[in-house]
């Protein structure tokens, strides 16, 4: 099985659905060369896992972005994923962030969702306050408010993997089995981080829910997608205008643009700027 996937499942007789996510080299690529302190990397990895889980439910082409903005030492977490489960993201934090509780790391803030799908006149945006003592708790609160359905999340992230288990109570659950949702939650709460990161979906569900009848669906691959986009950067510079670009060149000797979410650097010297605008100033 691929090391980067979201795999949905359904409790056949309970009207409870779920999914497992595992990010191996995708998670390693997302944090490569960033130098995040361990607490920052852990928060970003857990948020990467839950973003992939939620994006797996996108029904049409589009892009979903989550921004967790806080006033603590971890000021910003950004994860972006499309319907093909192509993931990218970044964190912004103070230097040398030490281990602390999630509320202390994030402080007061908000979770923002932006959804931009084909056919939408403008992107949909939603804001909720940070309510929860973990990334899992924050997103459980978000899901219950946005979908009006109770959900549970169990997440982990270390240097090699980010993974998670998602459970959601569907509308007919109490009619199908009045004790089913409670029972599933109690069993899921026994999960350990090393099991989330180290077991296959089949092994994990078999360990947690040995008495339940579960239907597994095919896994969906997750990829890290953050290519360089010189065309986009050149269009941005053209929109600034030649005079503005040449003023930056005179002051700094080059135009340097750093793409924080992907980690790419774009540099334009005088020759490249001249080529960008053409020899004729009026072109």
């Amino acid at each position: 099985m691929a090391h980067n996937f979201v795999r949905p499942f359904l409790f056949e007789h309970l009207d409870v659905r779920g999914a497992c996510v595992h990010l191996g080299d995708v998670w390693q690529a997302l944090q490569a060369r960033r130098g995040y302190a361990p607490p920052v990397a852990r928060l970003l990895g857990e948020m990467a896992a839950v973003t992939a889980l939620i994006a797996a439910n996108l029904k049409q082409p589009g892009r979903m972005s989550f921004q967790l903005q806080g006033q603590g030492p971890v000021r910003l977490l950004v994860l972006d994923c499309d319907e093909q489960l192509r993931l990218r993201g970044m964190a912004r934090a103070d230097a040398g962030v030490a281990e602390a509780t999630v509320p202390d790391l994030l402080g007061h803030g908000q979770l923002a969702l932006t959804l931009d799908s084909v056919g939408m006149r403008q992107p949909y945006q939603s804001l909720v306050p940070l309510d929860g003592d973990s990334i899992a708790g924050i997103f459980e609160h978000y899901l219950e408010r946005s979908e009006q359905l109770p959900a549970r999340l169990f997440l982990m992230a270390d240097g090699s993997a980010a993974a998670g288990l998602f459970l959601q109570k569907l509308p007919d659950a109490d009619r199908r089995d009045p004790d089913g949702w409670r029972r599933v939650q109690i069993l899921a709460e026994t999960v350990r981080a090393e099991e989330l990161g180290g077991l296959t979906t089949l092994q994990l569900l078999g360990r947690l829910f040995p008495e339940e009848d579960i239907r597994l669906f095919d896994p969906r691959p997750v990829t890290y997608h953050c290519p360089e986009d010189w065309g986009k950067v050149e269009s941005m510079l053209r929109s600034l205008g030649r005079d503005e670009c040449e003023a930056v060149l005179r002051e700094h000797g080059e135009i340097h643009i750093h793409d924080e979410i992907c980690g790419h650097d774009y540099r334009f010297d005088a020759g490249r700027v001249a080529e960008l605008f053409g020899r004729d100033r009026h072109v």
Side-chain angles (χ1 to χ4, degrees), residues 252-273:
H252 299 286
E254 68 171 0
I255 297 175
H256 174 212
I257 297 169
H258 178 67
D259 177 0
E260 193 172 8
I261 195 168
C262 288
H264 299 312
D265 287 285
Y266 301 88
R267 297 180 185 274
F268 294 78
D269 59 15
R272 186 140 193 187
V273 170

Side-chain angles (χ1 to χ4, degrees), residues 173-205:
D174 290 338
R175 183 181 61 80
R176 297 285 296 275
D177 184 334
D179 189 53
W181 176 240
R182 184 193 70 86
R183 185 171 70 248
V184 164
Q185 290 183 84
I186 290 172
L187 294 170
E189 286 167 357
T190 68
V191 72
R192 300 186 298 271
E194 59 268 25
E195 293 176 324
L196 287 173
L199 298 182
T200 67
T201 302
L202 193 60
Q203 291 170 336
L204 181 66
L205 298 182

Side-chain angles (χ1 to χ4, degrees), residues 9-28:
F9 59 86
L10 180 70
F11 290 85
E12 290 278 21
H13 306 299
L14 300 184
D15 209 35
V16 172
R17 69 169 182 152
C20 290
V21 59
H22 188 279
L23 307 176
D25 53 11
V26 164
W27 164 231
Q28 294 168 39

Side-chain angles (χ1 to χ4, degrees), residues 108-124:
H108 296 292
Q110 62 186 13
L111 176 64
L113 162 71
T114 302
L115 178 61
D116 191 359
S117 295
V118 173
M120 295 176 66
R121 290 187 176 181
Q122 59 185 18
Y124 167 81

Side-chain angles (χ1 to χ4, degrees), residues 55-56 58-63 81-86 220:
L58 287 173
K59 304 302 184 191
Q60 56 187 343
R63 183 167 293 280
C81 195
D82 65 12
E83 84 288 347
Q84 298 179 54
L85 301 188
R86 298 185 298 185
R220 294 187 57 196

